[in-house]
Amino acid sequence: MRIAVFGGSFDPVHTEHIRLSQAAIRELGLDKLIVMPAHAPPHKPWRTLAKDEERLKLCELAFADEERVEVSDYEIRRGGTSYTYLTCRHFKEKYPQAELFWLVGADMLRDFPTWKNPESILNDATLAVCGRAADKGELEGDFFQRFGKKFVRLAYDGADVSSTKIRVLAGAGMDVSAYTPLSVAEYIQKNGVYRIENAALALSLEKETRRAHSLRVAEVAAKRASGLKISERKAIAAALFHDCAKNLGEDSPYLSGFVLPTEWGKVPQEVVHQFAGAYVAEKAFDVTDREILNAIAYHTSARENMGELEKLIFLADMIEPSRSYEGVEILRDLFWQGDSLDLCLEEALRQTLVFLKRKGGEIFPLTVAAYQFYKNLRR
């Protein structure tokens, strides 16, 4: 009997998970493939997953028509951190005569030596590797030298479907059926899985191009958030609301009662919408989280001593994929480096001030003070 375990957060399960499972069954000649939603993945401690029961239900819906697939709640029932070596041991004991495989992506293969008790995993199962890595052949030699064992390579390469993108779209109340089975998309929509309250209403105030920008900012921010120990949900929320006042006229009822701050002098027109956005998010859309409101309120000007979420939204806004100005690639490289955004923030503020001086634009004192603050941090 040949059995493979396909573990992961499945947050949410999507079409590529299904296609990979079908390929594994076909290429490995499996009698059974066990889909295993994790309770608490050890490599995602700063990202809050959808509820266990929701992710389990979505997997059951997604694989309902796959005869050789069994969706297991073993790791969810066990609780605690979902370590692969414990799961492998469980299924080896349950199926002692079976040849057991563990499905991993090529990106996970690179990190495999850092997993908890990798030798124990390989005593119980053979790794079956798939993914878009061109260097899988090179990895084989390193893997054998380290563990004295080989892994199985699947021919299936698949498409790059981002669970993060799905969570962002669902957070905005949008249809995700382009990336998931229809049954999964309908469950997510009906039950509000991942939904950010009032985000859809806020986005409806924006022009179509601005709304697309907000979604891109949210995806960039979400992908970087956990590496910075920032709540992904807060990052998505702040990004989806950050430009909610961008397309509002001065006479909009949403801005009734709004007064610009005066402590920094005249506010340049390009900066007004950040303060207005925080006002609208709080007064019209019931956003009460101060970190989120601050991220909205300073996403254009920045300020001294910003919170981590503020830095993230300011920079995600500057480097989202549609941005194409001189210097953006430098910022993108810095954005993904290390566990701090301070160096990237300093460079972004420097570029901003250079740009404003060149075009003769108004320079807001908050931006100057922010640049000096982060420049001085390195002294």
Side-chain angles (χ1 to χ4, degrees), residues 3 21 27 40 69 91 97 107 144 158 173-174 182 191 200 217 282 291 305 309 312 333 335 337 345 354 359 363 373:
I3 298 173
S21 299
E27 293 186 40
V69 175
F91 283 103
Q97 303 304 316
D107 54 340
F144 185 82
M174 300 177 71
L182 182 59
N191 294 278
V217 173
E282 182 175 15
E291 289 183 335
N305 199 25
L309 183 61
L312 178 63
D333 288 342
F335 182 78
Q337 292 178 15
L345 185 59
V354 169
K359 79 165 192 172
I363 298 179
F373 179 86

Side-chain angles (χ1 to χ4, degrees), residues 21 36 100 119 182 212 236 239 289 298-299 311 343 359 373:
S21 299
M36 177 70 58
L100 191 64
E119 289 84 2
L182 182 59
I236 293 174
D289 188 294
Y298 301 101
H299 79 266
K311 299 175 192 176
L343 186 59
K359 79 165 192 172
F373 179 86

Side-chain angles (χ1 to χ4, degrees), residues 320-341:
E320 59 95 343
S322 74
R323 301 294 196 189
S324 59
Y325 54 86
E326 181 183 353
V328 69
E329 292 303 331
I330 294 172
L331 295 183
R332 286 180 178 135
D333 288 342
L334 291 172
F335 182 78
W336 298 103
Q337 292 178 15
D339 57 1
S340 171
L341 292 176

Side-chain angles (χ1 to χ4, degrees), residues 39-40 56 94-95 214 316 368:
H39 170 65
L56 188 67
K94 184 174 182 178
Y95 301 104
S214 295
V368 177

Side-chain angles (χ1 to χ4, degrees), residues 230-263:
I230 296 171
S231 160
E232 182 191 277
R233 186 170 179 83
K234 282 191 178 186
I236 293 174
L240 294 180
F241 284 104
H242 85 284
D243 270 349
C244 64
K246 184 74 172 182
N247 301 129
L248 295 180
E250 293 181 3
D251 59 349
S252 169
Y254 285 99
L255 295 176
S256 177
F258 170 65
V259 178
L260 276 171
T262 58
E263 56 261 48

Side-chain angles (χ1 to χ4, degrees), residues 266-287:
K266 181 184 176 183
V267 179
Q269 189 59 41
E270 295 84 356
V271 177
V272 169
H273 76 281
Q274 67 175 20
F275 297 119
Y279 178 86
V280 172
E282 182 175 15
K283 301 300 182 181
F285 299 125
D286 300 321
V287 177

